[in-house]
Amino acid sequence: MIMYDFAVIGAGMAGASIAAELAPHARVLLLEAEDAPGYHATGRSAAFWDECYGGPGVVPLTLASGPYLREHGFLTTRGALHLGRAADRAAMDDFLATFAGTGATIERLGRDDIIRRVPGLRPDWIEAIHEPACADIDVAGLHQHYLGRARRGGVEVVCRARVGQLQREAGGWRIATAAGAEYRAARLINAAGAWADGIAALAGVRPLSIRPYRRTMAQLRVDPPAPADLPLVLDINGTFYFKPDGGRLWLSPHDEIPAEPGDAAPDEIDIAIAIDRFEQVTGWRIAAVERRWAGLRSFAPDRLPVYGFDQAENAFFWFAGQGGFGIQTAPAAARLGAQLALGLDADAMTQALDPAAYSPARFAQERKLRSA
């Protein structure tokens, strides 16, 4: 039986990207439970790169990933507007203060500038924060890029390989899949997204309370048609966002509904909520709801990603809790994760990142403080 240096569990964007980064340095196995990689969160992304998305703690990962994404042609600049009414001025001020000094490019706009960008906007939306660097991201292209890099680097990619048992043994792990296959690896990389805590439990590792949440999306046909150059439009209070896509409009109620790991499906009430909120923003008529879907996003308790070896099990590496920002931060996150897993020094992409901010050690420290 082959002994792999690393077995990466989960072949979505997280698993594919870290496997690709590990490949030049190690023998890597990439296990995917579904028939094809990227079925869940990766395949259902809203597909944008936004400097402020995820909060100040995520900005360094997003900015570090930008050059790689642009260089390889995965970004198309669109811009973003965080809209507000008169009652939202304090929220606007808080947003500007929160991201001041992070390196994100943001500016405040008035009504005249807004309506040039969002025709048909209702009169009570009078202020906005503009993010000129926000871009569409080619999610499928990026995912295939990393899978291709991984395969060319010698990574063995195995689908229909849902992990059923993880057994610690001398020198590493014995991995058994639900289909009856067995593999051995010196170290595990937990890139299982919504299933990350479940994989930890199978390995006898203390879960980190990484919780999945459902996000709802709908594709609308609107009249007049959505302008192709419409920016990503978000509510400053986080109750909706929408963006154009191929002559249609993608709309979300910006929901985060606790869910169990699984094949997420939209609830009709959430679609109705999204439409109601949209109709309060523009005068466009909704001609049809053409598609609806939902995906899972997974967060650690502090909403920052988790990258690093477990404090109690030094052959178990966390690469999870990447919320809805795992795609836009994939290049820097994967590079940092591989460097930590391999014991390599930082490079130009990761030198500005603080690994301690994302380490699982922070949860052990919090537990000690609570018990003191």
Side-chain angles (χ1 to χ4, degrees):
M1 184 182 294
I2 296 173
M3 183 67 170
Y4 295 91
D5 297 306
F6 294 96
V8 180
I9 300 175
M13 190 69 77
S17 59
I18 196 169
E21 291 290 345
L22 290 167
H25 310 279
R27 177 173 282 185
V28 181
L29 172 69
L30 180 58
L31 297 175
E32 169 56 45
E34 304 296 344
D35 291 347
Y39 177 73
H40 293 286
T42 298
R44 309 179 194 198
S45 166
F48 57 79
W49 182 89
D50 183 315
E51 291 179 325
C52 296
Y53 194 63
V58 177
V59 171
L61 290 163
T62 302
L63 295 181
S65 297
Y68 186 97
L69 295 170
R70 293 188 189 94
E71 176 188 343
H72 290 84
F74 296 118
L75 296 185
T76 304
T77 301
R78 175 166 300 283
L81 290 178
H82 300 260
L83 296 181
R85 299 177 169 106
D88 299 321
R89 285 182 176 136
M92 293 276 181
D93 292 340
D94 288 345
F95 187 100
L96 290 168
T98 295
F99 290 98
T102 63
T105 302
I106 51 179
E107 59 182 348
R108 202 160 187 165
L109 300 182
R111 172 75 184 179
D112 290 344
D113 287 323
I114 299 168
I115 58 175
R116 281 196 291 270
R117 292 173 169 85
V118 189
L121 192 69
R122 295 197 184 278
D124 49 339
W125 298 94
I126 60 172
E127 291 196 58
I129 292 172
H130 181 217
E131 291 188 70
C134 182
D136 293 339
I137 184 167
D138 180 0
V139 177
L142 180 62
H143 190 214
Q144 290 304 312
H145 166 80
Y146 277 122
L147 286 170
R149 273 187 55 190
R151 290 188 172 107
R152 290 191 298 273
V155 175
E156 183 177 356
V157 182
V158 184
C159 293
R160 304 182 191 90
R162 185 175 302 278
V163 174
Q165 185 178 12
L166 294 169
Q167 182 181 347
R168 190 70 161 95
E169 58 182 19
W173 299 89
R174 183 176 291 273
I175 307 157
T177 72
E182 287 195 355
Y183 304 92
R184 293 182 66 213
R187 286 157 289 185
L188 296 179
I189 305 279
N190 182 5
W195 289 263
D197 266 10
I199 291 297
L202 278 179
V205 171
R206 182 172 184 169
L208 297 181
S209 296
I210 294 176
R211 305 297 189 207
Y213 298 86
R214 188 176 75 237
R215 170 63 52 88
T216 305
M217 296 290 297
Q219 178 176 294
L220 310 180
R221 179 160 49 87
V222 296
D223 183 23
D229 61 352
L230 186 76
L232 170 67
V233 180
L234 310 97
D235 173 24
I236 193 66
N237 296 306
T239 66
F240 64 79
Y241 62 79
F242 57 87
K243 57 169 281 192
D245 185 84
R248 300 299 192 258
L249 199 76
W250 283 12
L251 169 68
S252 173
H254 214 153
D255 50 343
E256 281 189 2
I257 299 170
E260 293 299 318
D263 190 358
D267 192 311
E268 285 303 317
I269 187 63
D270 298 316
I271 300 294
I273 288 169
I275 290 171
D276 178 67
R277 292 172 180 172
F278 176 74
E279 290 175 336
Q280 296 177 42
V281 181
T282 79
W284 301 338
R285 183 180 68 86
I286 297 174
V289 179
E290 296 183 330
R291 289 176 56 215
R292 61 203 77 198
W293 68 97
L296 296 181
R297 54 219 295 107
S298 304
F299 291 98
D302 61 2
R303 298 182 71 86
L304 289 177
V306 187
Y307 310 139
F309 285 106
D310 188 80
Q311 291 298 286
E313 175 49 80
N314 62 10
F316 186 95
F317 190 94
W318 291 90
F319 195 66
Q322 300 189 68
F325 47 80
I327 292 168
Q328 70 173 40
T329 61
R335 184 73 55 82
L336 175 63
Q339 289 166 352
L340 294 173
L342 294 162
L344 301 178
D345 292 334
D347 63 3
M349 184 187 289
T350 60
Q351 62 186 359
L353 302 177
D354 177 13
Y358 313 117
S359 170
R362 68 190 193 265
F363 299 108
Q365 293 165 357
E366 289 173 7
R367 286 194 292 267
K368 286 179 182 177
L369 289 173
R370 286 198 298 268
S371 62

